[in-house]
Amino acid sequence: MARVCEMCGKGPIVVNSVIRRGKARAAGGVGRKVTGVSKTRQLPNLQRVTIRKDGASVRLRICTKCMKNALAA
């Protein structure tokens, strides 16, 4: 599958993009109003990494969190 970490299985998530207008009450306005909500996708930060496994080099697409944990171990 595309856009999925091959180590942990992390994939894209769906979030709401909220558009607001107006001035906040704390700043002396009448308050912020929501004028639009649309769904967007947030993709994981995947990188191509070459790993030596049993004498053979294997290319994987893994997220940066897995890269960080692999280097720390």
Side-chain angles (χ1 to χ4, degrees):
M1 275 192 289
R3 297 190 176 108
V4 174
C5 177
E6 296 179 8
M7 288 185 77
C8 66
K10 181 188 289 185
I13 61 172
V14 178
V15 296
N16 285 333
S17 175
V18 180
I19 308 299
R20 293 183 176 95
R21 64 179 294 173
K23 191 173 183 181
R25 282 194 179 143
V30 295
R32 308 266 287 162
K33 307 294 190 293
V34 174
T35 60
V37 178
S38 60
K39 288 184 181 281
T40 61
R41 293 176 76 201
Q42 288 184 347
L43 303 176
N45 188 3
L46 297 179
Q47 305 293 323
R48 281 213 176 269
V49 177
T50 304
I51 297 175
R52 303 280 306 188
K53 194 173 201 180
D54 299 329
S57 60
V58 179
R59 287 184 70 178
L60 298 174
R61 287 180 61 166
I62 61 174
C63 64
T64 52
K65 195 162 201 173
C66 290
M67 284 176 60
K68 184 177 178 182
N69 292 339
L71 290 175

